[in-house]
Amino acid sequence: MRKIIHIDMDAFFASVEQHDNPGLRGLPIAVGGDSPRSVVCTASYEARRFGVRSAMPMSRARRLCRDLVVVPVRFARYKEVSAQVHEIFREYTDLIEPLSIDEAFLDVTVNRAGITLARDVAIEIKRKIFERTGLTASAGVSYCKFLAKIASDYRKPDGLCTVHPSVALDFIAQLPVEDFWGVGPKTAERMHSLGIHTGADLRSKSLHWMLAHFGKTGRIYHDFARGIDDRPVVASRVRKSVGCEETYEYDIADRRLLDIELRSLAQDLETRLERASFEGMTLTLKIKYADFTISSRSHTLDHPVEHDASAILAEAIPLLDVSLAQRSEPIRLMGLSVSNPMGLTRGDHSSYPRVFDPDTAPYI
Ligand code: TTP
Ligand code: MG
């Protein structure tokens, strides 16, 4: 049996801000920009009590919580803390699969410390994270990835939850379908309309039925409902950017043609961002001139670049303006990319029915 830990930092950006600036502790804060188009990156637990959530427009967050303190994003600092946390992971295993800046899977079946119970590894990791960064993390422990991930969310913040194989089916039975990996709002709605609300409902359907209603992914839901998830923890790095570029048949000098090419790049980028489910805050325009010299210009937003060609184009045009103002020579290649990855979006899990008690369940 494998032993997998999923670690996820609590209210990550907000906790870093409250840690670095004690004046913010205990206050409802939202990290993000404060312009009309800004959205909340994350909110402190104090602000969440008012309903403030990630990805919500800042203006709405302010209406929900009159005393909200808006704190600007300091991405470099969060990356630094993330690196510190990864150092700690590496003290136990090299089998680390980061999912975003603040979460990762660890396969600790075999671990450097020779610790038998994965739960004990998780306890040590949580302790070290707190000692070295002053922040809390939540950990989920199980024999597969999808259960470890759900478990880390089960007792947030500062949570620890083990899902032992012997209780996995009971644990899964009570989960709302929204919590299953790959079930987004649309799929959840479809499931509800078919009378499927929980893991137990999902398990009552045959593979044949699932395939008929959900296509190929039906098999994944079918397996998850039965506690089957053999995906390995793949030591990999977080994807850092998504982009596309185009070398033109002829060097282009005409601004109208460049705008057309830029639009087509924006469309291509939209597709790639969507396919990779990639959220990043920085848009970069790369230009290679006829003489092969390269210039690139970036703009960092206070929200992830939208997966929308028009929105991308609106951000890219000023970059082209500046580039051409500096050097208006025929262009051989243009590229657009998004970098500065963000946390993965996911639902709000505050509504768990607490029928499963992680404290009395068996450990792995
Ligand atoms: P999450 O782990 O999803 O959220 P969190 O750490 O703030 O809170 P929780 O305790 O529920 O885990 O995301 C990690 C960071 O990624 C988060 O602090 C900010 C960033 N982020 C965004 O910028 N936009 C988003 O929509 C989300 C979900 C996260
Ligand atoms: Mg987190």
Side-chain angles (χ1 to χ4, degrees):
M1 182 186 67
R2 295 181 299 157
K3 298 179 182 184
I4 293 171
I5 303 176
H6 178 258
I7 303 263
D8 188 316
M9 302 295 291
D10 300 322
F12 186 45
F13 295 5
S15 304
V16 172
E17 295 303 336
Q18 287 180 321
H19 172 265
D20 291 359
N21 179 357
L24 296 174
R25 291 182 198 165
L27 297 182
I29 74 165
V31 178
D34 208 5
S35 71
R37 290 193 49 198
S38 299
V39 293
V40 175
C41 286
T42 197
S44 66
Y45 282 89
E46 294 85 356
R48 291 182 194 193
R49 280 198 275 280
F50 292 87
V52 178
R53 295 284 181 270
S54 293
M56 170 183 284
M58 194 59 84
S59 50
R60 178 161 149 69
R62 280 194 179 284
R63 281 197 298 278
L64 287 172
C65 176
R66 292 167 53 92
D67 298 324
L68 190 70
V69 181
V70 178
V71 182
V73 184
R74 291 185 303 150
F75 213 75
R77 174 69 182 130
Y78 313 141
K79 283 194 170 154
E80 201 175 275
V81 178
S82 178
Q84 267 181 301
V85 170
H86 277 251
E87 282 291 303
I88 297 170
F89 296 161
R90 271 191 292 277
E91 290 169 18
Y92 296 88
T93 178
D94 288 328
L95 268 181
I96 304 164
E97 181 176 333
L99 291 181
S100 76
I101 190 166
D102 88 323
E103 57 177 316
F105 286 114
L106 282 64
D107 186 326
V108 297
T109 316
V110 179
N111 60 81
R112 292 212 167 91
I115 298 171
T116 313
L117 287 177
R119 178 188 157 90
D120 291 337
V121 178
I123 290 172
E124 278 201 13
I125 289 176
K126 274 164 55 74
R127 181 175 50 77
K128 287 188 185 176
I129 290 176
F130 187 73
E131 284 169 3
R132 295 187 208 168
T133 70
L135 304 174
T136 61
S138 294
V141 181
S142 196
Y143 64 92
C144 67
K145 282 164 100 174
F146 107 92
L147 285 173
K149 178 149 168 87
I150 293 174
S152 72
D153 227 27
Y154 205 73
R155 275 265 171 119
K156 251 181 183 297
D158 201 12
L160 175 63
C161 174
T162 308
V163 182
H164 190 274
S166 63
V167 299
L169 290 182
D170 289 341
F171 181 81
I172 293 164
Q174 45 104 37
L175 293 175
V177 287
E178 285 78 356
D179 287 349
F180 284 76
W181 220 341
V183 177
K186 275 187 197 153
T187 308
E189 209 174 296
R190 280 223 47 219
M191 289 186 174
H192 292 170
S193 72
L194 292 162
I196 305 173
H197 299 274
T198 64
D201 299 338
L202 208 51
R203 200 183 304 152
S204 71
K205 305 296 180 195
S206 70
L207 178 59
H208 182 77
W209 191 93
M210 290 301 295
L211 290 172
H213 285 83
F214 297 98
K216 266 192 212 152
T217 40
R219 180 185 295 277
I220 296 174
Y221 306 140
H222 169 273
D223 287 355
F224 281 180
R226 287 159 182 77
I228 300 165
D229 173 15
D230 294 329
R231 292 169 306 164
V233 173
V234 183
S236 63
R237 304 178 57 185
V238 182
R239 182 154 199 180
K240 292 232 165 85
S241 70
V242 168
C244 50
E245 56 181 48
E246 187 73 40
T247 302
Y248 304 114
E249 224 160 305
Y250 305 95
D251 299 339
I252 306 177
D254 184 335
R255 174 64 199 250
R256 280 161 307 175
L257 287 181
L258 288 172
D259 281 340
I260 291 169
E261 293 300 343
L262 198 59
R263 174 176 296 275
S264 118
L265 282 175
Q267 267 151 3
D268 192 2
L269 187 57
E270 172 190 310
T271 313
R272 285 166 192 258
L273 287 171
E274 193 57 33
R275 206 181 296 149
S277 301
F278 185 84
E279 305 283 356
M281 310 249 294
T282 303
L283 181 71
T284 301
L285 170 70
K286 172 177 149 186
I287 292 179
K288 196 188 271 179
Y289 290 96
D291 65 358
F292 285 80
T293 53
I294 292 174
S295 103
S296 67
R297 308 224 156 248
S298 298
H299 177 49
T300 297
L301 312 177
D302 60 12
H303 55 86
V305 175
E306 285 171 60
H307 296 186
D308 174 75
S310 308
I312 295 169
L313 190 63
E315 301 293 347
I317 285 173
L319 296 175
L320 182 59
D321 290 341
V322 176
S323 305
L324 295 180
Q326 201 142 76
R327 192 166 172 208
S328 78
E329 291 190 25
I331 287 173
R332 175 184 168 78
L333 167 152
M334 282 201 295
L336 276 181
S337 62
V338 174
S339 56
N340 232 343
M342 304 299 299
L344 305 174
T345 347
R346 57 125 209 267
D348 173 13
H349 295 166
S350 53
S351 60
Y352 274 128
R354 304 282 162 179
V355 298
F356 175 79
D357 179 2
D359 292 334
T360 57
Y363 303 148
I364 287 182

